[in-house]
Amino acid sequence: MVPTAPVRALISFGSTVRDVLDTASLSPWSRPQWDRTDPEGEDVRRASIGALTDVYWVNRNLGHLRVLTIVWAG
């Protein structure tokens, strides 16, 4: 069975989200801070590819990141 266009788009979206998160996980602190005016928010970062933005929080104590939101502006 061949997936329909909406299913193919969803699969592509999922792959793109994984790509963005893979890139962010390689060097979490190299990405821009989400809100540079927030002095206590230095661990909230964002990674973007095109219209897709993942906002994540870096847990320094445990050494991993947690996704807060995924935004598709398109």
Side-chain angles (χ1 to χ4, degrees), residues 30-48:
S30 68
R31 301 292 171 201
Q33 188 173 336
W34 178 251
D35 181 0
R36 293 175 191 245
T37 62
D38 181 7
E40 295 179 1
E42 68 178 329
D43 292 337
V44 178
R45 302 287 172 152
R46 63 181 166 84
S48 300

Side-chain angles (χ1 to χ4, degrees), residues 13 18 36 49 68:
F13 176 75
R18 279 192 300 277
R36 293 175 191 245
I49 294 180
L68 299 175

